[in-house]
């Protein structure tokens, strides 16, 4: 089955460009479009997309509120890929904290856009470590520290979390740690459960906000 995608952006030219790029792929199908976040809920209910490519700044309901609304309304929800002009936009961090699975720059090359949709559809994070470090700076909080302390991650789970924060996929983590991919998946599932994180993106945000990974450190 192809990956089904809903495009949400108030710029018709952006939607047309994304549609042309994605529709050219045999394993991706664009099932619908919307010009504002306010239209997302009924479209997701009707079309059941695998991925929602969501603009972060829209006039009636922005991508942050639309992301929250989708996560409240559907179980399981579609993957949400925030589409933005600026990688250090504070709106992007708000969307990631709200539950988006990653973000994509509008200036990305067609191959990068296709890769992003496929990656998110498969359950991987789509993060830009340097940008996320910048976005996370100044967001340290006690709630995240408490969540990290209560999680009692094993040393191996901690290693895996640091590598996720660097933007590595499961396969790349497996190569880095000389482990099987299924073993890495088990570690990822365990640390997500312990952190109470919905997905890898939420775990990375907790890692930064708790100080477990330093925003100013090497990615």
């Amino acid at each position: 089955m192809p990956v089904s995608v809903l495009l949400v952006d108030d710029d018709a030219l952006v939607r047309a460009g994304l549609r042309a790029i994605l529709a050219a792929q045999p394993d991706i199908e664009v099932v619908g479009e919307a010009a504002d976040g306010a239209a997302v809920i009924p479209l997701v209910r009707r079309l059941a997309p695998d991925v929602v490519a969501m603009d972060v700044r829209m006039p009636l309901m922005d991508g942050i509120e639309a992301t929250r609304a989708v996560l409240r309304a559907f179980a399981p929800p579609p993957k949400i890929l925030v589409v933005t002009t600026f990688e250090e936009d504070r709106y992007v961090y708000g969307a990631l904290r709200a539950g988006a699975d990653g973000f994509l720059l509008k200036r990305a090359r067609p191959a990068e856009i296709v890769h992003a949709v496929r990656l998110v559809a498969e359950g991987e994070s789509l993060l830009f470590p340097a940008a996320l470090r910048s976005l996370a700076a100044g967001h340290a909080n006690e709630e995240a520290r408490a969540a990290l302390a209560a999680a009692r991650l094993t040393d191996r789970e901690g290693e895996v979390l640091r590598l996720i924060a660097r933007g590595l996929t499961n396969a790349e983590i497996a190569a880095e740690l000389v482990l099987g991919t299924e073993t890495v998946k088990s570690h990822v599932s365990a640390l997500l459960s312990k952190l109470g994180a919905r997905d890898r993106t939420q775990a990375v945000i907790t890692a930064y906000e708790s100080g477990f990974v330093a925003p100013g450190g090497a990615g």
Side-chain angles (χ1 to χ4, degrees):
M1 292 289 290
V3 175
S4 56
V5 181
L6 171 64
L7 304 176
V8 185
D9 196 300
D10 62 339
D11 188 327
L13 288 177
V14 170
R15 294 200 310 274
L18 289 173
R19 175 179 279 277
I21 291 166
L22 297 175
Q25 305 304 311
D27 60 334
I28 298 176
E29 179 184 9
V30 177
V31 294
E33 297 183 19
D36 194 87
V40 171
I41 293 295
L43 282 174
V44 170
R45 184 170 290 118
R46 179 163 61 87
L47 301 171
D50 298 310
V51 177
V52 178
M54 182 100 71
D55 188 15
V56 72
R57 295 190 181 191
M58 293 177 285
L60 298 179
M61 180 184 286
D62 65 28
I64 301 173
E65 287 305 314
T67 294
R68 291 193 184 113
V70 168
L71 295 181
R72 285 195 302 264
F74 302 97
K79 302 296 183 181
I80 297 178
L81 183 59
V82 172
V83 183
T84 180
T85 304
F86 304 107
E87 65 186 53
E88 296 189 358
D89 192 327
R90 294 286 162 172
Y91 280 83
V92 173
Y93 194 69
L96 293 174
R97 291 190 90 249
D101 297 280
F103 68 95
L104 172 68
L105 301 179
K106 290 184 179 180
R107 67 173 182 270
R109 296 188 299 271
E112 293 172 331
I113 293 170
V114 171
H115 176 67
V117 169
R118 288 175 179 152
L119 198 66
V120 168
E122 291 168 2
E124 298 277 8
S125 319
L126 185 68
L127 303 172
F128 297 82
L132 191 59
R133 284 198 299 272
S134 175
L135 290 167
H139 284 83
N141 64 73
E142 289 301 324
E143 183 178 345
R145 291 191 189 97
L148 197 286
R152 298 183 181 276
L153 300 182
T154 65
D155 290 344
R156 181 64 87 188
E157 289 163 357
E159 285 181 297
V160 171
L161 179 56
R162 287 189 177 92
L163 293 174
I164 293 173
R166 281 173 46 190
L168 273 64
T169 65
N170 285 345
E172 291 166 338
I173 293 170
E176 180 90 5
L177 299 179
V178 194
L179 297 171
T181 303
E182 291 304 316
T183 301
V184 171
K185 288 181 179 179
S186 295
H187 287 312
V188 172
S189 294
L191 72 87
L192 292 181
S193 177
K194 289 181 177 182
L195 291 172
R198 186 179 75 89
D199 55 25
R200 297 160 69 98
T201 302
Q202 301 305 299
V204 170
I205 288 173
T206 297
Y208 279 115
E209 293 187 348
S210 66
F212 183 75
V213 175

